[in-house]
Each structure stands twice: as structure tokens, then as C-alpha cells.
Amino acid sequence: MANPAKLQILKDALYEEIRQHGSATRLFAQSDILDLNIIPNNDLELLMNVVQGLTDDKLLIGTTNHHAGLSWRWRSREEAKKYTSLPNDDAVMVYAIIDEAGADGIWNRTIKNRLNMHEAVVKSTIKFLEAKGYIASMKNVEHPNKKMYIKATLRPSDRATGGPWFTEGELDTAFIAELEGIVFEYIKTKSAYRGSQPTGTAGPTKTPKRGAVTAGETTTLARGTKRSATEMSNDDAAPAVGTTRTTPSTTTTTSTKTRAIFLPMPAGYKHYPTVAEMAKFIHETGITNNTTLGEADIQQLVDVLTYDGLIEPVRVGRRRGYRVARATKQDTVPFHKRQKEREAGVGLNLSLVPGAEPLSNGLTEAPCGRCPVFELCEEGGPVSPSNCVYFLQWLDLEDVPQALAPNVGFPP
Amino acid sequence: MLVTKPVAELCALLVDELHGELPSRIFAILVSKGRSTVLQLSQYTSMTPRQVRHGLAVLQQHNLLYYHVDPGSELASYEANPENAYNLIRTGKILEMIDTSFGAAAKDVMQNLLLSGQTRILDLVAAYREKIEHAAKTANGAEDDDGIAAETNGINGDSHNTKKGALVIKSTAQLNTVICRLVEAELIDVVHARTFHTSDDILKSVEKEAMAKQTAQGAKGGKGKLELQENIAEGLRKVRAESKSLKRKLEQNGSAAKRRRLFSGLESTNGVHEEETDPILDPRQVIRINYEKCLVDLRNRRLVQYATDMLSETTAYVYGVLLKLLTKDVPRCRADPIMDVGEDQDDDNDKNPGFVTTDQILDNLKTSVDLSLGVGKAEKHQISFSAAEEVQLYPPKKKALIEEVEVVGEASADEEEDSESEGEPDYDSDYKDSAATNGTHDENGINGMNGIKGTNGGTNGTKVTFDESAARKERKMDRPTQLRQHLLILAESTQGFVRHCGRNEWTVDFVPIINSLREVELDSVIERTCGRQGLRLVRILRAKGKLDEKALPNVALMRKPELQQKMLEMQTAGFVAVQEVPRDVKADVKKSFFLWFCDVDRSLSQMLDTSYRTMVHCLQVLEALRHKERDVLETTKRSDVRGREKDTMRKSYYERYSRFLECERKLFAQVMRVDDLVSVLRDF
């Protein structure tokens, strides 16, 4: 039997060697440890003693693995110290189980069932560990009502927090909406041409057209570089002044008024923004100061915009970009600027969401299309077209008392 | 056309609106009771047979009736024609369409035809002659209140239009020309004996004939059946062709377009020159409006509107010209399942609209249209020509509801192949690429596509800078190039407005585009009723199929409770549905999967039903208004007041009257708007 001092030396040597050979998640089987050549003569009994000693010190964790059989992982000394400093076995067991759960955290009920302890004991132990700062309570988005615990040194995993879209276990809709607005604005300015069109001419007629392109706009387009959010907002502040020219053939009348309008790009346009470009843009502007958004996250956002019908995917060659849908109907004033205007009390009648006014048809305009009692409405019934208050309102016939027609707003 | 309760109600209301209460009541009875004889009708309506006959005559005159006489029987049985009754709603729309594409004279003729129902040419000519003479007599005079046009046409509401101006038809020869043109455009066709037979009756009789022929030859088995099918289709087509007899006769004399061309492109309304060339139509022929062809033109209009909504006005105009050329020989929107079965073999034209070349479109564009509008500008190196000019020989196989949402940089296998075979090695080499193609294609094809160096595209190598001079050059981009840009935009659109089916050849796949239009209509209803988030959820379900309730919030980036509320709201509205799938035999609700899905077809048919009911409601509201204002309306019917309402009526009365008229106009306009939707959902 080796003396304790020698055992201690061997333990330290083995521990250090194991640490050299892999991360804390690597499993070391018996043969692996022997191959480290720390244990002299491959003495199995000595090996057992050394490993036992390390395990007692919480420096090694024994696990059984289906392929390799019994094997071990190492644990850092600081971590091990936490274990050894715990006063009783209950605390060690509870801490171990929380430690095992890792970044996903564990439900206190699971701890109780797994350890088969009394609830009061688990409670008091958890309280003790929390007070010591070893563990912390957390919230899981998938089970918001469960009380979960996690090691205090770890950050909850993305699965538990729900990824970058969650703040404190709640879906951060304000953040998402804001970011959607920015991404949409980015796509809009990148995928459509900001030109001008004569106003007051219904239908395509030949009107002397001013080719109004802001100098800044074209250069950025030509460079194809990313622009910051501040630059984006400047687009509108600098109106079409840079290069105002007239058609050589029609030099007579230049007095026709023009309005800014987004125009679709010619077919085969190669610079529709891709998700990678959007991610880069978001990253460079630093809008999301403490959240990092990967391409997959931006993809999610872009998909939502696609489903909203605001943008559409377009493939040119092998490039998969996105462009704004219904370019000519888009608002040329950036969304965030509109928002500021709203705050200042201007343009309150405009819609709050980004994108063009949704299409409408006969059904959505008539009172019937949005009538709450449409199913009941029939001549001779309690509600009938002949006594319909909504229709009277729609036809501007009678000033119906508001009480009669409760909060059903029809589009103008 | 499936006649549901709201449709029946609507048709009766429409007949009432245009032709009065008596025909309307008979029509309603006919719809609800089915085929009936005069005696049965008088029983159902408790009217005398005399009254019933009066009503039937009116209905017959307007082609709202089918009749059937069993061989050997003396009694005719009558059946309602709901298609034509529904088409009454489109009166105003058709007139407006004719006005814009054929001119005021054609509109006037069409209006008279609509008002008087099917008419012998002789009678029409006589009516016009009388009108012309009357106008000549009172040339200096006060007013020309002619017999036909004075009848106020409620639906279009601009009947005074024809009264105010001078006569639009100035001679019978001009009238003849106008009718010839309309016949050639297939907007007017000939009434023949079988026009008044229901399609079922015609099918039965044709089937009988074919069977008789078949048994004589004695063919049996699968091949025989196939032959029978073809014979039936052939027979039906023959019946259908009967109504086109007039057109064929005209074509034998050379079409109007040809004749007109001889006059070096004079405006066609300029009837003086054409007098001699147009053949005089057989005065005994009875003509009527061909709604099927009208619908084709209305569909074109709707598609142009769609393109305006999605792209730009100029592009939509180009699209309109393309559609007009393409559908010149398309007789109806949808092919008949029985009749057109064997037609593919003998002539492909009917089913497949063929194609239009760029030059044809160019020839038909109005010179006043500035094609430089409506397209953004991009520099040459920013455009991938091979992608833009991609030719798609075959129509898309299956239209995905939403374009497959793809992950960036992960091209699916077939796409990879595509771009490889196109031979587009890299984006940067595009410039060279296009320069190379420049030589092979016709001079204005690809050359100017870039938009910058339109006129001197061949000289490459110079650095393209977006400065003043470059911009000026761009202005000079020639017209064919500008046109091509618009066409390529249409071809590239996600909606698939146009298919580039060959070099400089363009065609439209109507089925997919109409399907996408239907979806857009549905989407706009969803968005207007359930908000943008509702639309988002529906489109997610459409793209992904059935989706678990738990998976939905992640995709939609919405909070769970909000999402659930939205889904319930939409379930109530019938846009989505839920399916419960138990995990095990116990079917524990807590453990079950809840799969949401949306059935587009069901939503669409539900929307159609809602549309019918909305129209019925609009007309009923109008009826209620009329009842309310009956005292005013009665005064306006007095002969001394009529036409001089403003001067003769008391001020308060007149105000009520004008307000009523405004409401009436609004309600009719609304009915027509809803009809736009119905056309898209049902007829196109």
C-alpha cells in the first residue's frame, strides 16, 4: 500500500495530466488514464486508489457510458472546492444535480423526485445554496410557471431563455417590432429605386419627367456598401436636389410637380439585399447593443416580414435576396421618422406599422365584410339590412348615436 | 354556377331592379321550384296565366330563361338562367369597358342591346334611324328624348350622358360598322334556337345523336368510349359555334382589321370611309351580348389593376396591351371540361393563348405613353442579364402558395443545376457576358437593357460612371429597350404576370396568375379583418402546412396568449381550422397535439358566399331606403316633374332626392366592387 504522501503526488500528477488532455466534458476511460503513464507499472490497485481519492475530492466525476463503460470527467479545483465546502450530503447532492443540469437549469420538483428527499429538506438546502451564491433561480420560456435553478456561474442556455428575442422570459415584442421596422426600411431602400414621378397624372401619360436622383443615393447604391441608420434617415432630409435634369426633348415645361416614389428595379438586378448583408448591417450599426443576432435570427425576422407580405424573396442567379413588395405604394419617408412625427403629433391618421397600406376589395369596404352580426343578418330577422345601423353610418345618412354603433370603425 | 340561397335572392333582386317586379317574382319562383310550365307557375305565384306569360316574355327577351319542349308534348317548360341574371350586375362594367376600348358609339349600341335584350338587327337599325331622323328634325332644338336610351339604367347611372351630347351614331352605315366590329370582337353573337336550351339539355341531345351514330358503327370498349366522348365534344362545339356564325361570315369577307388597314390606319370611328367596305349584316339576325367574351376582357382589366397594385402604372399599361393582344382570340376564361376535352389535338389555340412578340406589343402601344416611367435605374454591372432574360419554355407545374422560404446560401439541387447550365460563372463577368450576347441577338433586344449605355452599348471597356452625361445617355434609351424592361419586370415578378416563353415571345399562364390573385384577395380580407398578424399566421400555415400550436409562436415571433387569441379569432372567421391529434389511446387533452391548418379553397368559397350575401344586403338596404323616401320618389315619377326635378320640386324634397340618388349610386358602386371579387373568385 502506497503511503498517503505518494498517493497525493500521484493524484496531483494524474489530475494535471488529465486536464491537459481535454476539456471538462471529455470522458476518460480506464485505459485512457493508464495510457497517460502516470501510474507506475499499470498498477490497477494503485490506479483505483488514486482515482477514488480524486473522486472523493470531487475533482473527478465518475459516469457510466454505454460504449466505454465506467469513465470519468474532470472538474476544476474551484468547483471542487465548492463541493467540499458544503456542510452536508443533502447540499452536495442537490448541488450536484443542479450542476448536472447545466445551462438548461432544473425544476425544483425534479430535484425532489430525483433525490427522493423531503420537500422541506430540498427547500432549505436550496435556500442555503442560493444564499451562498452557488445557485440562482431562473425562468424558462418553455415552462414559465416552473421554478428552475441553475448554477450561479452559468448563463441560461438559448433554449431556456428563448434566444435573442426574449427578455427576462418574455417575448420582447417591442424590440422585435423596432428591429422589423429597421430591417424593412433597409430592404426597402436597398431593393427599390427612389425616383420621382409626376403627380396629378392618372395613368401613364407622357409628362416631362424630372430624373431626380439624390447624389448620395446613387453613390451608395454604386458602392453597394452598408449605410448606417443615421444615413438612412438623412435620405429624406436631403430632398431631390443633387441632379435635377430634364429630358432633352421636352425642355419646355418643367413646372410639373413631382413626388418621390419607389420604383421597382429592372429585372435581373443583382443587389437585392441578402440575409447576410442585413445581419452585417445590423451588427455594424450596433442597434442591438447587448444582444448578438446571428444570421439565423435575422432570417427568422425576414421570414416574418415575408409572411406579413411586406417583402418577397427573389432569386437572381444564385443570389437569394429580398425585395420590398409593391414598391410603388411604399411610403418614401422612413418608418422611424414617421414614428417621431407621430410622437410630435403629426400624421396620426397614418398607420403605425411599416409597409404600404394593405389592399382592399369590395368586401372589406362594405359594412357587411366586417359586420359582427353578419351571420344573423337577414330580412325579417332581428337584425336586417333594412334596419342596419352600420349601413346608415356608412352612407352618411344619419348621425347614429355612438351608443347604437359601438366601436366598429370602418376604413375611410 | 352553383345557385345557393343568396345567389337566388340576389338574382331575383337584380331582375327586379332592371326589369320590374313581375318578372322578378316569376324568376324567383323558377329558381326555387325548378323547371315549370306556365300553369304550374300561375299556381305557384297565384297569378293568372296571362300575367305569367307577360313576365315570361320579358325574361325571355333578356335571355334570362331557358325553355324545353318535350317532343310530342305541347307544353313548354321554363327554367331560370341564373348566369345571365347574375350578369345583369355587370352591365355598367361592360359598358364602361366597351367605352374605353371601342369608343362611345359602340357603347351606345351595346347599351341599347343591354336594355332591349336580344334584338333583330332590323329593329335596332330602325330604332336608330328614327332617332337620327328625330335628331335631324330638332337639330336646333330643345331635347332629344329618344325611346330607348331614356330608360334610366340604374346600374351604370350615367344614362344622361348619351342624352346630353350629340348623337353618337350618325348614320345607319356607322351603326353597321360598329356592330361588325363588336361581332368580330365576339362581344356580340347570334341568337339561335339552342341558345334557350340549358346546357344539360344540349348535352343530352348531342349525346343521343352521338350514341346513335356510334351504335351504327358498332364500336365498343375503351376506344369506343373515347371516340364517343370526342364525338360529344365535337357536337357540343358545333352547337357553340352556331352563335359565331355571323363572325365567320364577316371573316369570309376579310376581317375589319384588314379592311381598316387598307385605309392606312384611319381611326375606325371614322365611319365615312368604311361605309362601302363593311358588308351589310343580315337584318333578320338576332343578336345579343356574349358575356363570356366580355368576361375575358374584364379579366384583362382586373389583371392590369393587379399589376398596378403590385408594380407600377406604366408596367401595368404594357401588361394591358400584352393581354389585349394575347386574348384577342380567347373566347372564354375557363375551358369547358366536356367540350374542350379533345380539342387539344385539332387546334391548340383555344386552350393555349399562344404568345405575343415584343414587336407586336410595340406596335400597339400608345405613342403618348412614356415608357421610361415606372422602372428604377441601375447600372449595367448591377444587372444580371442571364437571370433577367431567362426563358421559361413551359408553364410552372405547380404554384406554391408562398414562394418557398429558403435559407440563404443553400441553393437546392435543381436550382444549382439551372444556373450552371445557364453558364453564368460569376457575377463580375456579366458585363463581358452581355457584350458577347450582344452580337448574337437582334440589335435592340439586349443591347440597351442596361439602361445606361443604351445607344452605344457595343462599345464596352469604358468605365461607366453615374454622372450627368451618363444620365443623359440613359435618357436616350430607345423605346424597344424600355418596353423590354417592363416586360422583364413582369416576367420576374413573384406573381408571375408574364412568362418569357421564347426570345422576344411572351405569354400569360392564366390559371396560376388568377390563383395568386384569388389569394391576394383573400389575404386582403384577412388583413383587413384580423390584422397583419392574422395574415402572418395564415401565410405561415399555408407555407408550412399543418403546424403544432407550440411551434407557431416561434415562427411567428408572437407572444403565446396573443397568438392563441388571434388564432381563435380567425377560427371563428373561418380562415383557419384546428385538428386535435391524441398522443395515446387515452386521448388526454393536455397531451394532445393541436395542429392548425388553413384550407384556402374553403376560405375562398366562404368568401364567395359572403360576397353574395353582401350584395344582397346592399340591394336590400337600397330597397329600404326607397321605402323610406317613397313620397319623394313618387313625386319624381310624375310626368311634369320628371327631368326637371331641380326646378319643380320643393327645396327640401329635392335635397332628400339628391341625397337618395347619392346613396343609390354608392350602393350600386359597392355592389359592383363586390362583383369584382366574385368575378375573380368564380369566373376568371
Side-chain angles (χ1 to χ4, degrees):
Chain A
M1 197 72 225
N3 60 43
K6 196 179 167 196
L7 204 63
Q8 189 57 45
I9 291 168
L10 278 174
K11 268 164 69 181
D12 288 346
L14 186 64
Y15 181 70
E16 289 309 321
E17 198 60 28
I18 284 178
R19 285 196 68 164
Q20 295 292 317
H21 274 80
S23 67
T25 52
R26 173 166 178 185
L27 294 174
F28 292 89
Q30 180 180 326
S31 55
D32 294 331
I33 298 175
L34 282 177
D35 288 348
L36 293 172
N37 287 329
I38 303 291
I39 310 295
N41 308 326
N42 285 353
D43 185 346
L44 288 181
E45 199 181 332
L46 185 59
L47 174 72
M48 197 188 80
N49 285 333
V50 170
V51 170
Q52 184 63 55
L54 281 170
T55 317
D56 288 345
D57 290 345
K58 306 288 176 196
L59 288 169
L60 283 187
I61 312 152
T63 47
T64 39
N65 180 295
H66 283 299
H67 308 293
L70 186 63
S71 48
W72 291 270
R73 285 184 285 133
W74 63 265
R75 181 187 274 144
S76 70
R77 283 189 193 278
E78 301 87 71
E79 207 38 51
K81 202 179 263 169
K82 278 186 189 166
Y83 273 93
T84 43
S85 70
L86 290 174
N88 50 29
D89 281 354
D90 288 346
V92 172
M93 282 193 310
V94 170
Y95 186 63
I97 212 163
I98 292 172
D99 188 11
E100 239 167 70
D104 283 346
I106 193 163
W107 188 21
N108 58 358
R109 209 73 162 278
T110 321
I111 301 174
K112 196 195 97 189
N113 292 341
R114 196 85 72 77
L115 298 176
N116 218 356
M117 278 187 197
H118 197 270
E119 199 171 342
V121 181
V122 176
K123 253 187 186 166
S124 64
T125 317
I126 284 175
K127 211 170 175 190
F128 169 74
L129 287 170
E130 228 179 339
K132 273 205 116 176
Y134 286 2
I135 63 169
S137 73
M138 62 169 274
K139 255 191 176 171
N140 190 323
V141 279
E142 283 169 32
H143 316 284
N145 297 326
K146 290 182 179 174
K147 197 145 200 210
M148 312 273 282
Y149 289 95
I150 188 173
K151 249 165 63 174
T153 48
L154 289 178
R155 272 181 63 181
S157 67
D158 274 1
R159 211 179 103 209
T161 55
W165 307 125
F166 285 81
T167 307
E168 285 158 13
E170 278 278 305
L171 190 72
D172 195 346
T173 41
F175 174 63
I176 291 169
E178 193 73 13
L179 215 55
E180 265 176 7
I182 289 163
V183 169
F184 175 70
E185 203 62 42
Y186 178 79
I187 294 173
K188 189 166 84 179
T189 45
K190 285 274 173 188
S191 69
Y193 180 84
R194 191 145 177 268
S196 59
Q197 200 157 38
T199 48
T201 48
T205 44
K206 190 166 194 158
T207 332
K209 190 195 136 200
R210 284 208 231 138
V213 184
T214 55
E217 180 91 15
T218 44
T219 46
T220 41
L221 269 177
R223 278 207 317 269
T225 48
K226 313 292 159 298
R227 294 179 297 159
S228 67
T230 47
E231 250 180 308
M232 264 163 59
S233 61
N234 284 341
D235 275 0
D236 218 73
V241 280
T243 48
T244 308
R245 44 189 180 258
T246 48
T247 325
S249 57
T250 53
T251 44
T252 43
T253 47
T254 49
S255 58
T256 37
K257 277 188 182 165
T258 59
R259 76 195 149 98
I261 186 174
F262 277 111
L263 294 171
M265 281 298 183
Y269 183 65
K270 286 193 297 185
H271 293 281
Y272 290 125
T274 60
V275 172
E277 281 173 14
M278 287 175 231
K280 203 168 157 217
F281 163 74
I282 295 284
H283 180 72
E284 275 171 14
T285 48
I287 304 162
T288 57
N289 43 13
N290 47 13
T291 331
T292 41
L293 292 173
E295 270 184 40
D297 300 321
I298 300 292
Q299 179 75 52
Q300 212 179 349
L301 208 62
V302 167
D303 282 350
V304 165
L305 286 173
T306 316
Y307 290 131
D308 279 353
L310 295 174
I311 57 173
E312 54 192 22
V314 53
R315 187 172 68 91
V316 175
R318 254 175 281 168
R319 187 187 164 95
R320 226 174 291 287
Y322 289 87
R323 70 176 166 207
V324 65
R326 295 164 65 214
T328 48
K329 306 283 184 294
Q330 298 298 336
D331 191 359
T332 45
V333 180
F335 177 57
H336 53 266
K337 207 162 176 211
R338 282 262 185 260
Q339 271 183 324
K340 279 202 190 108
E341 275 178 19
R342 266 183 87 85
E343 278 159 27
V346 187
L348 286 169
N349 53 345
L350 292 164
S351 66
L352 189 63
V353 286
E357 178 81 354
L359 291 168
S360 65
N361 55 31
L363 212 52
T364 57
E365 287 157 9
C368 289
R370 310 176 58 188
C371 181
V373 289
F374 182 74
E375 294 298 323
L376 303 172
C377 186
E378 205 172 12
E379 247 353 299
V383 187
S384 69
S386 48
N387 66 15
C388 178
V389 282
Y390 302 125
F391 256 111
L392 289 182
Q393 214 176 10
W394 187 68
L395 291 168
D396 274 338
L397 274 188
E398 250 151 67
D399 312 296
V400 186
Q402 286 304 305
L404 268 176
N407 57 38
V408 174
F410 294 115
Chain B
M1 180 171 152
L2 185 69
V3 184
T4 51
K5 186 181 161 228
V7 180
E9 222 172 312
L10 176 65
C11 288
L13 278 168
L14 283 171
V15 174
D16 182 31
E17 196 64 45
L18 283 172
H19 304 302
E21 201 187 338
L22 176 67
S24 161
R25 273 174 66 185
I26 294 173
F27 190 86
I29 290 289
L30 275 176
V31 170
S32 64
K33 300 276 182 190
R35 205 170 264 206
S36 330
T37 60
V38 173
L39 274 177
Q40 280 171 317
L41 277 176
S42 75
Q43 218 168 28
Y44 297 144
T45 52
S46 20
M47 285 191 275
T48 62
R50 202 181 123 82
Q51 285 171 313
V52 171
R53 281 202 187 89
H54 273 299
L56 285 175
V58 173
L59 290 172
Q60 191 78 45
Q61 175 68 24
H62 292 276
N63 212 344
L64 298 170
L65 218 54
Y66 293 121
Y67 64 76
H68 179 75
V69 189
D70 277 323
S73 148
E74 284 173 1
L75 288 174
S77 54
Y78 297 91
E79 204 172 326
N81 180 350
E83 282 90 359
N84 276 2
Y86 181 82
N87 280 333
L88 292 176
I89 229 171
R90 300 187 171 131
T91 308
K93 227 179 277 177
I94 290 170
L95 288 177
E96 205 247 317
M97 173 202 63
I98 302 254
D99 192 21
T100 47
S101 49
F102 290 90
K107 183 195 154 195
D108 194 52
V109 174
M110 206 67 165
Q111 188 167 12
N112 286 337
L113 257 185
L114 279 165
L115 288 171
S116 49
Q118 54 230 10
T119 320
R120 271 192 304 178
I121 293 179
L122 183 72
D123 296 337
L124 199 63
V125 171
Y128 269 102
R129 186 173 294 144
E130 198 176 296
K131 204 161 130 187
I132 292 161
E133 277 163 12
H134 183 73
K137 262 183 230 156
T138 58
N140 327 324
E143 32 75 79
D144 47 347
D145 208 334
D146 48 84
I148 302 167
E151 209 70 48
T152 317
N153 182 353
I155 298 268
N156 73 350
D158 60 353
S159 59
H160 46 277
N161 191 359
T162 50
K163 266 195 272 173
K164 270 181 195 158
L167 277 181
V168 275
I169 301 273
K170 292 186 188 67
S171 67
T172 47
Q174 193 197 349
L175 173 68
N176 194 39
T177 311
V178 167
I179 295 175
C180 279
R181 285 191 67 201
L182 289 172
V183 168
E184 260 167 27
E186 283 185 42
L187 293 168
I188 289 181
D189 61 9
V190 181
V191 173
H192 54 94
R194 302 228 208 181
T195 311
F196 300 103
H197 291 184
T198 60
S199 50
D200 287 340
D201 284 344
I202 294 174
L203 179 66
K204 226 185 276 170
S205 69
V206 169
E207 245 169 9
K208 225 184 236 170
E209 276 169 38
M211 287 283 252
K213 237 201 262 169
Q214 196 83 353
T215 42
Q217 285 162 5
K220 267 181 188 167
K223 204 184 163 202
K225 260 184 199 163
L226 210 71
E227 216 167 282
L228 182 68
Q229 277 289 311
E230 263 166 44
N231 281 339
I232 292 171
E234 185 64 35
L236 286 174
R237 278 203 294 278
K238 220 177 269 169
V239 173
R240 192 162 70 180
E242 263 179 63
S243 60
K244 303 285 173 291
S245 58
L246 200 57
K247 189 194 175 192
R248 271 202 307 282
K249 221 178 279 168
L250 282 175
E251 271 166 355
Q252 278 162 10
N253 297 353
S255 71
K258 254 183 228 155
R259 291 192 303 275
R260 224 167 291 131
R261 213 166 294 145
L262 295 176
F263 287 96
S264 57
L266 279 169
E267 261 301 299
S268 51
T269 41
N270 198 347
V272 194
H273 288 275
E274 283 176 52
E275 265 175 297
E276 301 120 58
T277 52
D278 270 316
I280 299 299
L281 296 162
D282 180 4
R284 283 163 308 168
Q285 289 275 27
V286 182
I287 52 174
R288 61 157 186 167
I289 286 167
N290 180 11
Y291 284 107
E292 279 184 336
K293 180 67 182 176
C294 291
L295 270 179
V296 174
D297 285 3
L298 288 176
R299 176 175 70 178
N300 289 352
R301 283 165 65 96
R302 183 68 186 89
L303 284 176
V304 169
Q305 178 61 40
Y306 186 28
T308 315
D309 282 340
M310 293 298 156
L311 301 164
S312 69
E313 278 170 3
T314 320
T315 313
Y317 171 73
V318 171
Y319 191 45
V321 173
L322 192 159
L323 281 171
K324 201 171 163 190
L325 291 170
L326 196 64
T327 56
K328 207 155 58 186
D329 294 319
V330 176
R332 60 190 62 77
C333 293
R334 287 183 179 178
D336 189 294
I338 306 170
M339 268 190 255
D340 301 310
V341 73
E343 208 156 12
D344 294 344
Q345 285 103 11
D346 18 304
D347 65 323
D348 226 356
N349 288 357
D350 207 47
K351 239 187 140 183
N352 188 351
F355 60 84
V356 178
T357 63
T358 317
D359 291 343
Q360 273 177 296
I361 300 170
L362 191 65
D363 288 348
N364 282 281
L365 285 180
K366 268 190 203 155
T367 48
S368 61
V369 174
D370 183 359
L371 287 181
S372 67
L373 297 175
V375 186
K377 298 176 196 75
E379 288 181 56
K380 193 170 194 168
H381 65 85
Q382 290 179 323
I383 302 294
S384 160
F385 291 94
S386 47
E389 298 272 335
E390 199 177 341
V391 172
Q392 290 169 303
L393 282 178
Y394 303 103
K397 290 205 178 57
K398 184 184 78 167
K399 175 84 174 83
L401 296 176
I402 295 182
E403 291 293 305
E404 201 185 330
V405 181
E406 290 165 281
V407 187
V408 186
E410 196 185 307
S412 50
D414 55 324
E415 284 163 351
E416 201 80 66
E417 232 168 73
D418 275 5
S419 42
E420 229 102 77
S421 61
E422 267 165 45
E424 187 186 19
D426 201 2
Y427 300 123
D428 300 325
S429 63
D430 262 344
Y431 190 70
K432 222 196 290 168
D433 209 32
S434 71
T437 44
N438 252 345
T440 53
H441 304 308
D442 57 327
E443 47 198 78
N444 51 20
I446 298 229
N447 192 354
M449 246 309 292
N450 49 66
I452 302 291
K453 302 176 76 67
T455 43
N456 54 354
T459 62
N460 53 355
T462 47
K463 177 102 179 74
V464 179
T465 43
F466 205 97
D467 60 4
E468 194 78 13
S469 65
R472 194 156 292 151
K473 267 180 208 155
E474 169 206 2
R475 293 261 139 227
K476 282 184 200 152
M477 185 160 70
D478 56 351
R479 201 166 164 84
T481 312
Q482 291 174 337
L483 171 63
R484 258 188 99 71
Q485 270 200 340
H486 286 288
L487 288 170
L488 287 171
I489 284 182
L490 283 166
E492 201 205 44
S493 62
T494 32
Q495 291 82 15
F497 284 112
V498 162
R499 182 157 54 85
H500 193 189
C501 61
R503 281 264 158 243
N504 282 322
E505 288 167 5
W506 313 88
T507 190
V508 178
D509 300 314
F510 284 106
V511 176
I513 183 75
I514 291 296
N515 276 340
S516 94
L517 179 55
R518 274 187 204 127
E519 230 161 68
V520 166
E521 295 281 17
L522 179 62
D523 282 354
S524 61
V525 170
I526 293 173
E527 189 164 2
R528 291 280 183 176
T529 46
C530 298
R532 180 166 283 165
Q533 293 192 321
L535 177 65
R536 178 192 300 177
L537 291 167
V538 169
R539 284 172 57 125
I540 286 172
L541 291 178
R542 245 185 254 161
K544 305 215 181 243
K546 287 187 181 176
L547 209 58
D548 186 18
E549 194 170 26
K550 293 197 181 74
L552 212 44
N554 282 337
V555 186
L557 286 183
M558 280 170 71
R559 280 198 187 129
K560 226 182 217 164
E562 283 168 29
L563 181 128
Q564 274 161 350
Q565 199 186 346
K566 198 48 86 189
M567 288 315 268
L568 283 177
E569 190 186 320
M570 286 198 293
Q571 193 188 16
T572 326
F575 298 129
V576 293
V578 71
Q579 181 186 9
E580 188 182 334
V581 181
R583 210 179 283 220
D584 50 22
V585 204
K586 276 187 275 175
D588 186 1
V589 180
K590 273 184 189 164
K591 280 187 185 165
S592 297
F593 294 106
F594 286 91
L595 302 179
W596 287 102
F597 63 97
C598 74
D599 185 343
V600 178
D601 289 337
R602 195 166 76 182
S603 306
L604 287 175
S605 63
Q606 191 191 350
M607 198 157 97
L608 184 60
D609 191 60
T610 313
S611 312
Y612 288 138
R613 291 178 59 187
T614 303
M615 287 195 268
V616 170
H617 287 179
C618 283
L619 293 175
Q620 280 168 344
V621 168
L622 181 63
E623 205 50 53
L625 275 181
R626 284 207 181 115
H627 185 71
K628 211 174 100 194
E629 306 282 336
R630 62 188 177 279
D631 50 336
V632 179
L633 292 177
E634 261 157 30
T635 10
T636 59
K637 276 186 194 138
R638 268 163 46 188
S639 57
D640 58 328
V641 177
R642 200 167 177 185
R644 291 187 291 273
E645 284 91 351
K646 195 164 184 183
D647 308 325
T648 45
M649 278 164 83
R650 239 188 300 149
K651 199 178 166 225
S652 64
Y653 258 49
Y654 183 71
E655 265 168 18
R656 274 170 68 188
Y657 179 59
S658 58
R659 205 162 64 169
F660 167 77
L661 283 184
E662 197 187 311
C663 289
E664 190 184 53
R665 222 171 295 140
K666 232 173 169 175
L667 284 166
F668 277 133
Q670 186 55 40
V671 170
M672 292 224 325
R673 298 263 304 140
V674 179
D675 169 59
D676 279 342
L677 189 63
V678 172
S679 319
V680 170
L681 293 175
R682 196 189 64 188
D683 297 320
F684 291 165

